[in-house]
Amino acid sequence: MWFATIFRRKPATTEPLLFDETFLRRLERLSLQTQRALRGTPIAGQHPSRQQMPATIFTDHRPYVHGDDPRYLDWHAYARQEHLLVRLGEVEQDVAVSVIVDTSRSMTVGEPNRLRLAIQLTGAIGYLSLSHGDLVTVLTGGQLAPVFGPARGKTLSVALLRVLRALTPTSQLDLAQAARVVARQQPQGGVVVVISDLLTPLPIEELAQHVPAPRWQVMVLHLLSLAELAPPLHGPLELVDSETGERLEIDLTEEELAVFRTAAQTWRASLAARCAARGMAYAPIMTDWPLERQIIPFLRARRFLG
């Protein structure tokens, strides 16, 4: 198999593999749920579009014009109306899928590791998109150039997985810069998936300006850990910012922890509301959820996947 080299070599460390061959085969049965308003290329893609062209699967008619392929003439309609009509059908298309993955230092904090989950999600989305003929690009951190793509074709999945396995923590994610790169490379629009813990400022309004709906379909996957929402901390502590290294001495009481938990819930609700107001989808994902047994079904239920 073309991906055997990824799975049959023993890893240099005891860290488990990102994927196994069986999971990828099951993943191929899924696809990104895309909006019909997206503009793609009617080549080898499998996403619904608003375009209608002569086809054998009927959805509508139009009058015949000189040069139309006679294979698509509706002879039954001609027998009833004595007018030549061409059968129209919905055209499937490919779309440009751009994944912006946060590789900042805060993504490595906690257990399970958020960066590993982000890499797994990027690999899963990239693999199923390549398998369905879509154009895939992956951007990370604050880099100006993509770490993968734009590329199309299932055979490039090996290269994608190798790139993802080599990712290491970088500086803070510049989401606006990444969105500008995507918009410049794919001016026709497409799907943008943001995978982040969102602990760096998320300029949702600026993101919407660069990749606006309906030409762009933006999905924000927010990686959260239970320790963030309800930290098991109390008493005198020294807290260290994982991004900046800034230190803060604090004596946590139960009342202060209750205020923090309320603020965390308000923060999540605000992110969801701001995304919804600008036509973006928002999905909170807990880092302790198993990828195949819980995260994939969750994304299907939220109509990210179909």
Side-chain angles (χ1 to χ4, degrees), residues 102-105 140-143 170-175 199-201 241 243-244:
D102 186 352
T103 56
S104 58
R105 294 183 183 89
T140 66
Q143 298 186 48
T170 60
S171 59
Q172 290 187 1
L173 172 68
D174 189 336
L175 185 61
L199 293 180
T200 54
D241 190 311
E243 298 285 3
T244 65

Short mmCIF file of all heavy atoms in Angstrom, two decimals, residues 102-105 140-143 170-175 199-201 241 243-244:
data_model
loop_
_atom_site.label_atom_id
_atom_site.label_comp_id
_atom_site.label_asym_id
_atom_site.label_seq_id
_atom_site.Cartn_x
_atom_site.Cartn_y
_atom_site.Cartn_z
N ASP A 102 -2.80 25.82 15.28
CA ASP A 102 -2.06 26.55 16.31
C ASP A 102 -0.94 25.66 16.84
O ASP A 102 -1.19 24.58 17.36
CB ASP A 102 -3.03 26.93 17.42
CG ASP A 102 -2.40 27.83 18.48
OD1 ASP A 102 -1.18 28.05 18.43
OD2 ASP A 102 -3.15 28.30 19.35
N THR A 103 0.30 26.10 16.70
CA THR A 103 1.44 25.35 17.23
C THR A 103 2.17 26.16 18.31
O THR A 103 3.35 25.94 18.57
CB THR A 103 2.43 24.98 16.11
OG1 THR A 103 2.84 26.18 15.42
CG2 THR A 103 1.81 24.03 15.11
N SER A 104 1.46 27.10 18.93
CA SER A 104 2.09 27.92 19.97
C SER A 104 2.37 27.08 21.21
O SER A 104 1.86 25.98 21.38
CB SER A 104 1.19 29.12 20.32
OG SER A 104 -0.07 28.67 20.75
N ARG A 105 3.17 27.61 22.12
CA ARG A 105 3.65 26.83 23.26
C ARG A 105 2.53 26.40 24.20
O ARG A 105 2.62 25.35 24.84
CB ARG A 105 4.70 27.65 24.03
CG ARG A 105 5.99 27.89 23.24
CD ARG A 105 7.02 28.64 24.06
NE ARG A 105 8.20 28.92 23.27
CZ ARG A 105 8.36 30.03 22.52
NH1 ARG A 105 7.39 30.93 22.49
NH2 ARG A 105 9.46 30.23 21.83
N THR A 140 0.75 26.97 9.84
CA THR A 140 0.97 26.86 11.28
C THR A 140 1.65 28.12 11.81
O THR A 140 2.31 28.84 11.07
CB THR A 140 1.89 25.67 11.62
OG1 THR A 140 3.19 25.92 11.09
CG2 THR A 140 1.35 24.38 11.05
N GLY A 141 1.48 28.33 13.13
CA GLY A 141 2.20 29.39 13.81
C GLY A 141 2.12 30.73 13.11
O GLY A 141 1.10 31.13 12.58
N GLY A 142 3.25 31.43 13.08
CA GLY A 142 3.29 32.73 12.45
C GLY A 142 4.03 32.72 11.12
O GLY A 142 4.49 33.77 10.67
N GLN A 143 4.18 31.54 10.50
CA GLN A 143 4.93 31.46 9.25
C GLN A 143 4.14 32.08 8.10
O GLN A 143 2.92 31.99 8.04
CB GLN A 143 5.25 30.00 8.93
CG GLN A 143 6.12 29.33 9.98
CD GLN A 143 6.54 27.94 9.55
OE1 GLN A 143 7.00 27.74 8.43
NE2 GLN A 143 6.38 26.97 10.43
N THR A 170 5.96 26.59 18.18
CA THR A 170 6.51 27.81 17.59
C THR A 170 6.03 29.01 18.39
O THR A 170 5.53 28.88 19.49
CB THR A 170 6.06 27.93 16.12
OG1 THR A 170 4.63 27.98 16.07
CG2 THR A 170 6.54 26.76 15.29
N SER A 171 6.17 30.16 17.78
CA SER A 171 5.71 31.39 18.42
C SER A 171 4.19 31.44 18.40
O SER A 171 3.52 30.55 17.88
CB SER A 171 6.29 32.59 17.67
OG SER A 171 5.88 32.56 16.31
N GLN A 172 3.65 32.51 18.95
CA GLN A 172 2.20 32.65 19.01
C GLN A 172 1.59 32.64 17.61
O GLN A 172 2.19 33.11 16.65
CB GLN A 172 1.83 33.96 19.71
CG GLN A 172 2.11 33.95 21.21
CD GLN A 172 1.58 35.19 21.90
OE1 GLN A 172 0.98 36.04 21.27
NE2 GLN A 172 1.81 35.28 23.20
N LEU A 173 0.37 32.11 17.53
CA LEU A 173 -0.34 32.05 16.26
C LEU A 173 -0.82 33.44 15.86
O LEU A 173 -1.48 34.12 16.64
CB LEU A 173 -1.54 31.12 16.40
CG LEU A 173 -2.52 31.09 15.22
CD1 LEU A 173 -1.85 30.47 14.00
CD2 LEU A 173 -3.78 30.32 15.59
N ASP A 174 -0.46 33.87 14.64
CA ASP A 174 -0.98 35.11 14.08
C ASP A 174 -2.10 34.72 13.12
O ASP A 174 -1.88 34.46 11.94
CB ASP A 174 0.13 35.87 13.35
CG ASP A 174 -0.32 37.27 12.93
OD1 ASP A 174 -1.54 37.48 12.78
OD2 ASP A 174 0.54 38.15 12.74
N LEU A 175 -3.31 34.65 13.66
CA LEU A 175 -4.44 34.16 12.88
C LEU A 175 -4.78 35.08 11.71
O LEU A 175 -5.10 34.62 10.61
CB LEU A 175 -5.66 34.00 13.79
CG LEU A 175 -6.90 33.39 13.16
CD1 LEU A 175 -6.61 31.98 12.66
CD2 LEU A 175 -8.04 33.38 14.16
N LEU A 199 -5.99 30.60 23.25
CA LEU A 199 -5.44 31.33 24.39
C LEU A 199 -4.68 32.57 23.96
O LEU A 199 -4.36 33.41 24.79
CB LEU A 199 -4.54 30.40 25.22
CG LEU A 199 -5.29 29.26 25.92
CD1 LEU A 199 -4.32 28.40 26.71
CD2 LEU A 199 -6.39 29.80 26.82
N THR A 200 -4.34 32.64 22.69
CA THR A 200 -3.86 33.90 22.13
C THR A 200 -5.08 34.66 21.61
O THR A 200 -6.08 34.04 21.26
CB THR A 200 -2.86 33.66 20.99
OG1 THR A 200 -3.45 32.80 20.03
CG2 THR A 200 -1.60 33.02 21.52
N PRO A 201 -5.03 35.98 21.54
CA PRO A 201 -6.21 36.74 21.10
C PRO A 201 -6.70 36.27 19.73
O PRO A 201 -5.91 36.10 18.80
CB PRO A 201 -5.69 38.19 21.05
CG PRO A 201 -4.55 38.21 22.02
CD PRO A 201 -3.90 36.86 21.92
N ASP A 241 2.88 32.00 32.64
CA ASP A 241 2.25 32.09 31.32
C ASP A 241 3.08 31.26 30.33
O ASP A 241 4.26 31.53 30.13
CB ASP A 241 2.20 33.55 30.86
CG ASP A 241 1.35 33.74 29.61
OD1 ASP A 241 1.55 32.97 28.64
OD2 ASP A 241 0.52 34.66 29.59
N GLU A 243 2.99 31.14 27.18
CA GLU A 243 3.35 31.85 25.95
C GLU A 243 4.47 32.86 26.20
O GLU A 243 5.44 32.94 25.44
CB GLU A 243 2.12 32.57 25.37
CG GLU A 243 0.99 31.65 24.97
CD GLU A 243 1.26 30.91 23.67
OE1 GLU A 243 2.37 31.07 23.11
OE2 GLU A 243 0.38 30.16 23.23
N THR A 244 4.32 33.67 27.27
CA THR A 244 5.25 34.78 27.49
C THR A 244 6.28 34.51 28.58
O THR A 244 7.27 35.23 28.67
CB THR A 244 4.46 36.05 27.86
OG1 THR A 244 3.81 35.83 29.13
CG2 THR A 244 3.41 36.36 26.80
#
